[in-house]
Amino acid sequence: DSGVTQTPKHLITATGQRVTLRCSPRSGDLSVYWYQQSLDQGLQFLIQYYNGEERAKGNILERFSAQQFPDLHSELNLSSLELGDSALYFCASSLGLAGGPVEETQYFGPGTRLLVL
Amino acid sequence: LAKTTQPISMDSYEGQEVNITCSHNNIATNDYITWYQQFPSQGPRFIIQGYKTKVTNEVASLFIPADRKSSTLSLPRVSLSDTAVYYCLVGGNNAGNMLTFGGGTRLMVKP
């Protein structure tokens, strides 16, 4: 158990809909990262937040957005869903104290499996 | 970001030692090397991290030559439960440094 929690575990929805995925980081971690993993593909970095502010952006679609709240939990919002958005969505967290690699080592949650029909 | 190259897949048998090598020719001076393990439908799990020479923990060893352009993850006496995808990543020493996952190495351990 990494200490990172994600809800829901599974989500089934229809095209055009909007969903929200939630992540609670490990206690004490300030950075949260979101990744997408499609079937049989590698993990694609989407976005990173540090202490409530966006820090880095990857291959995140404009239909997707995220935020990190004062209590450090994060939400990933996916809108106008398409069939191709079906994937596993992982959240990871790290201390993110702008220090060395120990602080930046990421710990992943169990993921949310999204199925768009 | 330094790019990494790993074998796509490897097969082994229970009880054998498995060595997975990763190439990272463009590694920067401040970059560390980190390995993750991922089981199907689960999040990647941190295995080991190092900067140079050799690092060992309870599950693996990491060998890094002096030029740091490659690294080798060594799994001693693998079991069936070590069947997973193993990712080599380089970086992580700067705040906000995103992780770039390559395709990883799919290890299959056979009885």
Side-chain angles (χ1 to χ4, degrees):
Chain A
D1 184 0
S2 66
V4 178
T5 60
Q6 291 187 246
T7 57
K9 289 187 178 179
H10 304 277
L11 198 49
I12 302 175
T13 187
T15 55
Q17 295 298 306
R18 172 190 169 96
V19 298
T20 298
L21 312 183
R22 182 189 170 102
C23 168
S24 292
R26 293 187 318 159
S27 177
D29 283 0
L30 299 178
S31 274
V32 169
Y33 311 75
W34 286 97
Y35 293 84
Q36 178 193 56
Q37 187 172 37
S38 302
L39 188 64
D40 291 332
Q41 293 192 15
L43 289 111
Q44 298 292 320
F45 169 76
L46 295 178
I47 197 164
Q48 178 203 358
Y49 279 82
Y50 172 74
N51 205 19
E53 295 190 2
E54 182 183 304
R55 170 160 282 183
K57 219 169 195 177
N59 300 321
I60 188 166
L61 300 172
E62 286 193 11
R63 300 184 285 111
F64 297 179
S65 65
Q67 54 184 328
Q68 186 180 26
F69 294 87
D71 67 352
L72 300 177
H73 90 271
S74 178
E75 293 181 356
L76 178 67
N77 300 297
L78 315 176
S79 61
S80 304
L81 285 167
E82 302 174 359
L83 296 177
D85 297 326
S86 296
L88 268 168
Y89 291 84
F90 290 106
C91 165
S93 73
S94 71
L95 286 172
L97 294 175
V102 172
E103 290 80 6
E104 297 301 329
T105 297
Q106 295 182 25
Y107 296 87
F108 286 76
T112 293
R113 182 177 292 279
L114 172 66
L115 180 59
V116 182
L117 300 175
Chain B
L1 295 172
K3 180 178 172 168
T4 60
T5 303
Q6 307 174 232
I8 294 175
S9 64
M10 293 181 68
D11 288 345
S12 182
Y13 291 91
E14 280 190 295
Q16 288 189 335
E17 178 184 75
V18 170
N19 295 308
I20 306 175
T21 297
C22 176
S23 297
H24 28 80
N25 291 318
N26 296 327
I27 189 169
T29 303
N30 293 334
D31 285 342
Y32 276 66
I33 299 152
T34 309
W35 286 79
Y36 284 83
Q37 173 194 56
Q38 187 180 26
F39 298 112
S41 298
Q42 294 186 25
R45 183 175 74 103
F46 172 85
I47 302 177
I48 197 166
Q49 183 179 76
Y51 183 80
K52 62 180 179 180
T53 64
K54 177 184 174 182
V55 178
T56 297
N57 61 22
E58 62 276 9
V59 298
S61 294
L62 179 59
F63 298 92
I64 305 168
D67 67 5
R68 305 200 326 121
K69 294 187 176 184
S70 67
S71 59
T72 299
L73 174 72
S74 181
L75 305 172
R77 299 179 298 282
V78 293
S79 63
L80 296 177
S81 63
D82 292 317
T83 294
V85 178
Y86 292 82
Y87 295 96
C88 161
L89 293 97
V90 170
N93 197 34
N94 299 311
N97 189 17
M98 66 185 81
L99 285 184
T100 301
F101 282 81
T105 298
R106 190 175 298 273
L107 173 65
M108 174 69 72
V109 180
K110 303 174 183 178

